[in-house]
Amino acid sequence: MTHHKNGEDELERDSDAESSPSVRASHRDRLDRMSRRDLLRALAALGFASSTGGVLWGLLEATMPQAPVEHWHKSVCRYCGTGCGVMVGMNDAGVAEVRGDPEAHNAGRLCIKGSLLPLLNKAPGRLKFPMIRKNGKLVRASWEEAMSLVATQFQEAIAQHGPNSVAYYGSGQLFIEETYTANKLFKAGIGTNNVDGNPRLCMASAAVGYTKTFGKDEPAGCYEDIDHAEVFFIIGANPAECHQPLFERIKARKLANPRTVIICVDPRRTLTAERSDLHLAPRPGSDLLLLWAMAHAMIEGKLFDEEFVRDHVAFQGPEGRVGREELGRFLEDYAPEKVQDRVGIPAAQIRDVASRFADSQATMSLWTMGLNQRVDGVALNTTMNALHLLTGQINKKGATPMSLTGQANACGGVRDTGSLSHLLPHGRFVNNPQHRAEMEKLWGVPAGRIQPTPGLDAVQLFQAMNDGGVKCVLNMCTNPAQSMPNLDAYAKGMERSFFVVVDVFEDTRSTRYADVVLPAALWIEKEGVFGQSERRYQLVEKLLAPPGEARSDLEILVDLAKRLGLGDVVSAKTAPEVWDEYRALSSHSKYNFSGMTRARLREHRGLQWPCPSEQHPGTARRYIPGDPFVPAGKDHYFYGKPDGRAVVHLTPYERRAEEPDDEYPLVLNTGRILEQWHTGTMTDRIAPIRNGTPRGHFEMHSYDARRLGIEDGDTVEVKSRYGRLEGACRVTTSPLVGTVFATFYDAEFPINVVVTDKHDPISKQPDFKTTAVSVRKLG
């Protein structure tokens, strides 16, 4: 198989363009937009999470389209894992207006991105027709030609090199029905576990952490706990910008109960930190030391819940289960005085925060990528859960460890369906013979069809594409040519394999490497279910026809299955048919949501699993009475574990993260900002958002900038062991001294060329938060 792609050449041209004198001169002009953005941030800080569509942006965009609404429909926001309910106002021309749904959990609140949903389906650059690369260029093709080519390439690779020569790389943004079908097609049909996706980059450590602690993935609590918490412990998260309606709910709780305390742990002075009562800025890579020091202070100060621990908690050391007495010995190395210099937080403040966490009537912790995207991400997650177990701050209103989700359906669509390379649906594992046998029976495929070893995780997959071990990849609804770490190394894999990209836009960084590009339907142009952070499943109904010849991802998967001779495996062909199959399958698990019929999802603003019958209201909190799997007479029961006990894992701190040295003296941290979302594939095409945010740039503390002779707006080069990137530098006091921050939404500012591909050894999730770098001024 030979083919030519121009992706690498285009990347090189982008880099040259960024370093050209004219572009360097424009960096300062780009940063002039910051005044406009500062206004947006100020409005967000004051609570302008809009429930009236374009009103917020209307303050800045007089051209915000206004059109009459002929009929309203309930739906779900397309963006993050908050899963906000929306009301979509339609007319003959399409979407006229979007409002927050006052009857949904978000009570009518929407963030800036959600308020601009009316512009999403009209965004420029929509992919309308299949395209095939010929003579180095993508040209229009028919669906028959494109799908025949895809099927032929997959069939030839399987015949010549076996089923593990092909792979599926998916997304936490597809509907449940779509990801479930892809997982079934590849694992039960083709017979490969090479099924992974971008949730490996964002949620894998949280999933492993919950499973190791409770025996089952997904949070035990719910958003309603916000209304009852007295202490919010927000670590490695910036919900004021990234989950804005939830932070509005937190602020509403504080307004109703002034005793409420918001604690933010983040090396940056984020908008969340600015609106919190306490801000702790630990040194990069030291969070696990901080959490264990808090545990030490809790034991030392007799702040733990002895009765809860005795009745409901077990302890696990490196060699197996240990007694309660081992906890004290383990914590000896984490006395606040012993770790304060490494963490950068005084021992007295560590004890103060530990006391507030343990002593409140109800403590709710919230975290996202700051804990997950780390080389010790699993240990950080299990230790965060441990603090709740040691203090009994769990399984009661307002007390819960809550991992927030970045994508609209990473929880329901990927974690719950088992659509990662080591998983099977509903908490089953590929390497468990009983679990494989159960799924082979439920899926109606021969015994032994599911391979006994996990497939390739995201990093391994792109390495194998580069090495030639994986010949063909189906990539759906994600942009790995911008989102993968150590980007230059893994982009080569997309160049060397037969790479099929299914997307809604024609000019992403990933389509530059594609052999075939297939046009997909977007949001309300198709029907399906999203599952968000609190185990709530919500239906998105089809309200629009997709443009041109675009099809739903499910239609594409069903077509591919038929062409591969696997139509009998993928027997459910429509979204309602797949949903009925999938919810029936759930009845054989502790995820049981068989009571969530399509009719109920159309009626309700979502339902939370477990929901085992059509009369069941859903389950807000797990592991306590009200959860259908808790035995009668039990006040707490962690049924994911054989003895019903949650487990505190005594995982010691190890120096695995990159640390600064003489050659690379600073630490790079990447993340999101208020207005943009992920790689900007959608948000950066919406004019009010694009015009209201600066282009990609670096942020550096004024102390470091002064020391290096860098002024605000200067062009700098940031270099790591993995790559280099030039861009404008904003001098500020937001990042911690010794650190640099950058976002990843700008396609022409591919920050991940610099980011390390080191990853957690258990979850295989890469570390996007601690890359050692050098910075020098250019020009």
Side-chain angles (χ1 to χ4, degrees), residues 395-651:
N395 292 1
K396 59 183 180 181
K397 288 186 176 182
T400 193
M402 172 71 75
S403 168
L404 298 177
T405 314
Q407 298 185 83
N409 203 25
C411 288
V414 177
R415 289 159 67 173
D416 297 354
T417 64
S419 296
L420 292 176
S421 61
H422 65 294
L423 295 177
L424 292 168
H426 305 141
R428 296 178 176 90
F429 293 90
V430 162
N431 61 7
N432 185 312
Q434 180 182 344
H435 291 176
R436 293 197 305 275
E438 288 173 356
M439 287 311 306
E440 286 164 348
K441 181 178 180 181
L442 290 169
W443 275 340
V445 297
R449 173 64 60 82
I450 300 173
Q451 292 195 28
T453 56
L456 300 173
D457 61 70
V459 171
Q460 292 174 330
L461 172 59
F462 284 90
Q463 288 173 339
M465 292 161 64
N466 189 26
D467 297 341
V470 171
K471 308 295 183 181
C472 300
V473 176
L474 175 63
N475 178 93
M476 301 190 92
C477 197
T478 186
N479 188 14
Q482 190 170 338
S483 61
M484 284 293 291
N486 192 5
L487 197 52
D488 283 346
Y490 297 119
K492 295 175 183 176
M494 301 175 227
E495 171 72 22
R496 294 174 181 175
S497 62
F498 181 78
F499 192 51
V500 182
V501 173
V502 183
D503 210 316
V504 297
F505 294 105
E506 61 186 2
D507 56 347
T508 71
R509 291 189 74 91
S510 296
T511 59
R512 301 176 186 181
Y513 297 93
D515 295 278
V516 178
V517 181
L518 301 175
L522 170 63
W523 189 37
I524 54 172
E525 295 167 0
K526 57 182 181 176
E527 176 184 324
V529 177
F530 278 155
Q532 37 81 303
S533 296
E534 60 168 352
R535 295 169 286 106
R536 183 182 299 276
Y537 286 175
Q538 302 177 97
L539 179 64
V540 176
E541 296 187 75
K542 182 176 179 178
L543 303 175
L544 276 177
E549 297 178 6
R551 297 178 179 179
S552 75
D553 298 79
L554 178 60
E555 290 177 284
I556 295 170
L557 289 163
V558 169
D559 186 5
L560 178 60
K562 180 180 178 182
R563 293 173 186 271
L564 295 178
L566 297 170
D568 56 335
V569 175
V570 180
S571 55
K573 312 296 186 186
T574 66
E577 290 173 355
V578 176
W579 180 254
D580 283 342
E581 175 185 319
Y582 182 55
R583 70 183 181 91
L585 186 147
S586 77
S587 66
H588 300 270
S589 74
K590 294 294 194 296
Y591 286 60
N592 193 342
F593 51 87
S594 56
M596 293 188 194
T597 64
R598 215 67 168 182
R600 291 190 75 194
L601 290 177
R602 287 193 178 92
E603 176 185 358
H604 293 281
R605 265 62 179 180
L607 292 165
Q608 293 167 277
W609 60 263
C611 182
S613 71
E614 294 185 28
Q615 292 72 42
H616 197 280
T619 304
R621 296 174 184 85
R622 300 162 82 189
Y623 310 128
I624 57 175
D627 182 330
F629 296 110
V630 172
K634 297 280 189 180
D635 58 347
H636 300 81
Y637 191 73
F638 298 100
Y639 47 77
K641 297 293 186 179
D643 57 2
R645 289 176 173 268
V647 178
V648 169
H649 289 267
L650 304 180
T651 307

Side-chain angles (χ1 to χ4, degrees), residues 114-181:
S115 71
L116 285 170
L117 280 169
L119 302 181
L120 177 59
N121 294 80
K122 306 167 187 173
R126 286 297 301 271
L127 183 62
K128 299 178 181 180
F129 308 99
M131 303 183 81
I132 292 176
R133 190 171 299 279
K134 296 180 179 179
N135 299 318
K137 295 183 179 181
L138 288 170
V139 297
R140 181 173 171 177
S142 68
W143 272 103
E144 178 60 32
E145 183 184 7
M147 291 303 296
S148 293
L149 176 60
V150 172
T152 298
Q153 293 288 349
F154 270 71
Q155 287 170 328
E156 289 180 356
I158 294 168
Q160 296 174 20
H161 306 284
N164 288 335
S165 66
V166 303
Y168 168 82
Y169 190 76
S171 167
Q173 300 165 52
L174 294 172
F175 289 138
I176 287 176
E177 296 90 334
E178 294 167 335
T179 299
Y180 168 78
T181 299

Side-chain angles (χ1 to χ4, degrees), residues 14-31 696 711-717 724-729 776-779:
D14 292 339
S15 178
D16 293 341
E18 279 293 302
S19 62
S20 68
S22 62
V23 173
R24 287 201 304 269
S26 71
H27 283 323
R28 193 180 300 274
D29 294 336
R30 292 174 175 179
L31 291 179
E711 296 182 3
D712 191 52
D714 281 350
T715 300
V716 300
E717 177 196 70
R724 56 179 288 277
L725 184 66
E726 296 177 11
C729 183
R776 69 182 181 97
K777 179 179 176 178
L778 298 178

Side-chain angles (χ1 to χ4, degrees), residues 233-411:
F233 187 75
I234 303 171
I235 179 169
N238 184 14
E241 297 194 57
C242 302
H243 298 84
Q244 193 182 356
L246 292 182
F247 195 70
E248 290 302 307
R249 194 165 179 172
I250 290 172
K251 292 202 295 183
R253 169 60 178 165
K254 185 172 178 63
L255 184 64
N257 180 14
R259 293 178 54 196
T260 301
V261 176
I262 304 172
I263 302 168
C264 177
V265 182
D266 197 305
R268 294 175 60 225
R269 182 82 178 163
T270 63
L271 189 59
T272 300
E274 292 173 1
R275 315 312 291 182
S276 297
D277 299 291
L278 295 172
H279 175 214
L280 282 65
R283 294 196 173 112
S286 69
D287 307 65
L288 190 58
L289 289 172
L290 171 63
L291 297 182
W292 281 132
M294 289 174 61
H296 184 285
M298 292 167 180
I299 302 302
E300 173 191 62
K302 302 188 186 307
L303 297 169
F304 64 100
D305 189 328
E306 186 71 57
E307 182 179 353
F308 183 87
V309 170
R310 182 194 66 219
D311 294 342
H312 304 295
V313 177
F315 294 88
Q316 181 91 9
E319 305 301 324
R321 289 287 179 97
V322 296
R324 154 74 176 81
E325 65 281 356
E326 182 62 26
L327 174 65
R329 288 193 288 269
F330 172 80
L331 291 174
E332 288 176 359
D333 292 335
Y334 302 98
E337 284 77 12
K338 290 184 178 180
V339 304
Q340 61 180 349
D341 291 341
R342 175 70 181 87
V343 176
I345 298 172
Q349 190 170 28
I350 294 174
R351 288 192 172 91
D352 173 58
V353 170
S355 176
R356 293 174 185 271
F357 186 108
D359 260 353
S360 80
Q361 291 297 310
T363 295
M364 185 176 188
S365 61
L366 303 104
W367 69 91
T368 54
M369 302 307 109
L371 293 193
N372 297 340
Q373 289 178 334
R374 302 285 293 281
V375 290
D376 52 358
V378 170
L380 286 164
N381 274 266
T382 57
T383 307
M384 196 65 254
N385 294 333
L387 294 185
H388 283 267
L389 293 170
L390 293 173
T391 57
Q393 293 284 5
I394 193 167
N395 292 1
K396 59 183 180 181
K397 288 186 176 182
T400 193
M402 172 71 75
S403 168
L404 298 177
T405 314
Q407 298 185 83
N409 203 25
C411 288

